[in-house]
Amino acid sequence: MKAYFLLCNGCEEVEALMTADILKRAGIDTVMVSPYGMKDVMGAHGFHIVTDMQFGEANKYDEFTYSDGDAVVLPGGMPGTKHLAASKGVVDMIKHYDHLGKLVCAICAAPSVLGENGLLDGHEATCFPGFEGSLGKARFVGGPAVISGNIITGKSLGCAIEFGLAIVTKLMGEAKASQVEAAIYRP
């Protein structure tokens, strides 16, 4: 299993790294990707992140390079979410993954990127309070993490563990998610 995390300048660092950590603990290959022509990304709170790879020239998503993934994950944060929405490569990738029925996951403000591109139509979803109007034709249900078909949305940074566990559940089953949860919640 492989999940691609799309990180733009201004992303919420903890949402990206906590979710990636949960997936790694489950044995899922996590790959941090910058949609810029460079690997360096500056998070919303000033943390510098060096991604594993970057999109090609002109912010272009190459479906052949990224076709081996099982999920694409968009962390929220501002202005990171705005940068995700403005990236043709990001939009192309999430649409392609959705078309193939692969997991498309977004947390906090980032579900708005899915909503603005029609990916949430007919799905249940959650998001950071105040972004409900950007979910397109989704049915807002709140909650920390929502699985609806091939779409997983998370509410906020404080729900990153639940969001990550929802992705693990969908990719590897409830038993694996329970195993990871038990390992991180031990007193």
Side-chain angles (χ1 to χ4, degrees):
M1 294 281 145
K2 182 181 280 189
Y4 286 105
F5 284 71
L6 305 184
L7 306 182
C8 284
N9 287 331
C11 68
E12 174 51 66
E13 302 95 336
V14 175
E15 291 170 359
L17 298 176
M18 176 62 75
T19 305
D21 180 271
I22 297 292
L23 272 61
K24 277 191 177 279
R25 289 170 188 263
I28 298 168
D29 185 13
T30 60
V31 182
M32 302 295 186
V33 181
S34 164
Y36 307 121
M38 63 185 119
K39 289 185 175 183
D40 297 333
V41 173
M42 183 63 68
H45 301 95
F47 290 98
H48 180 79
I49 302 168
V50 179
T51 62
D52 300 306
M53 52 195 318
Q54 74 268 354
F55 284 171
E57 291 181 32
N59 218 12
K60 186 177 187 232
Y61 152 71
D62 180 352
E63 66 183 83
F64 301 106
T65 303
Y66 302 96
S67 64
D68 62 338
D70 300 288
V72 60
V73 181
L74 280 63
M78 283 297 179
T81 297
K82 290 180 182 179
H83 295 309
L84 289 168
S87 169
K88 181 179 180 336
V90 167
V91 172
D92 287 349
M93 186 171 182
I94 63 173
K95 285 182 175 180
H96 183 69
Y97 268 53
D98 184 56
H99 175 74
L100 295 176
K102 295 184 178 192
L103 282 186
V104 180
C105 313
I107 186 170
C108 195
S112 66
V113 178
L114 308 185
E116 291 165 4
N117 286 284
L119 275 67
L120 294 179
D121 293 357
H123 288 279
E124 293 182 337
T126 191
C127 63
F128 191 78
F131 284 86
E132 299 87 351
S134 300
L135 298 180
K137 296 178 183 174
R139 186 167 78 85
F140 177 76
V141 295
V146 175
I147 300 172
S148 182
N150 68 312
I151 304 289
I152 300 176
T153 52
K155 186 173 186 173
S156 65
L157 180 150
C159 302
I161 291 174
E162 290 89 344
F163 177 65
L165 290 171
I167 297 169
V168 172
T169 297
K170 193 71 174 170
L171 289 177
M172 302 186 79
E174 287 185 28
K176 184 54 128 178
S178 293
Q179 179 186 16
V180 172
E181 183 178 26
I184 64 172
Y185 281 122
R186 290 188 186 181

